[in-house]
Amino acid sequence: MPPRPPSRRLRLPAALAGLALLAAGPLCTTAPSAGAAATATSAATVSVNAGQSLATVPATAIGTNGSVYDSKLTDAAVPGLLKQAGVGLVRFPGGSSSDSYNWKTNSDLTYGTQAVDFDHYATMLQQSGAQGMVTVNYGSGDTIGAAE
């Protein structure tokens, strides 16, 4: 079994610590049938204890795309900003752009050569401490590792 990624506890703001929800009855009712007694609605109180942890969120639950077209991804400040924001996962070569990304040429079918390649991405991951997620394209027909 692979090791579990580090976890972090999420804390609610102090303003939410005393949150109480009131339920005044069902969200949807139907009219009682003829002869049936109408039922009384009741109120329920739900309390949230923000000081008690029930579960932890894995560090990889907060992530972003490392898009190949975003030249700012290689800026020296980015790894620190990702750490500060709590980003634990960065996906490459991005979202829907991965469908047309050519791994052999670091290019896109529509826009040509991209600003960020896998080496840039790997360096940024190492510096930020984030985990990587690679998405493989299916749109261009490029086969990773195929002989020329």
Side-chain angles (χ1 to χ4, degrees):
M1 177 179 268
R4 295 183 70 173
S7 318
R8 66 178 62 113
R9 294 183 187 269
L10 296 180
R11 297 222 180 251
L12 293 173
L16 297 179
L19 179 66
L21 303 173
L22 296 176
L27 295 176
C28 179
T29 61
T30 58
S33 61
T39 58
T41 60
S42 61
T45 302
V46 178
S47 302
V48 176
N49 180 353
Q52 180 182 7
S53 296
L54 298 178
T56 55
V57 177
T60 55
I62 300 174
T64 189
N65 286 331
S67 298
V68 292
Y69 56 80
D70 185 3
S71 62
K72 300 294 184 191
L73 191 65
T74 61
D75 287 357
V78 168
L81 292 170
L82 290 172
K83 278 184 192 179
Q84 184 180 357
V87 173
L89 181 76
V90 182
R91 183 170 71 168
F92 185 84
S96 60
S97 62
S98 64
D99 292 345
S100 59
Y101 181 68
N102 186 313
W103 285 85
K104 293 177 187 173
T105 62
N106 187 43
S107 63
D108 179 272
L109 292 174
T110 306
Y111 302 105
T113 302
Q114 296 297 304
V116 179
D117 63 19
F118 189 81
D119 290 339
H120 293 128
Y121 167 71
T123 299
M124 183 274 307
L125 283 179
Q126 185 178 31
Q127 293 171 347
S128 70
Q131 184 174 332
M133 175 194 286
V134 174
T135 53
V136 180
N137 90 62
Y138 65 88
S140 69
D142 176 37
T143 305
I144 298 173
E148 293 291 324

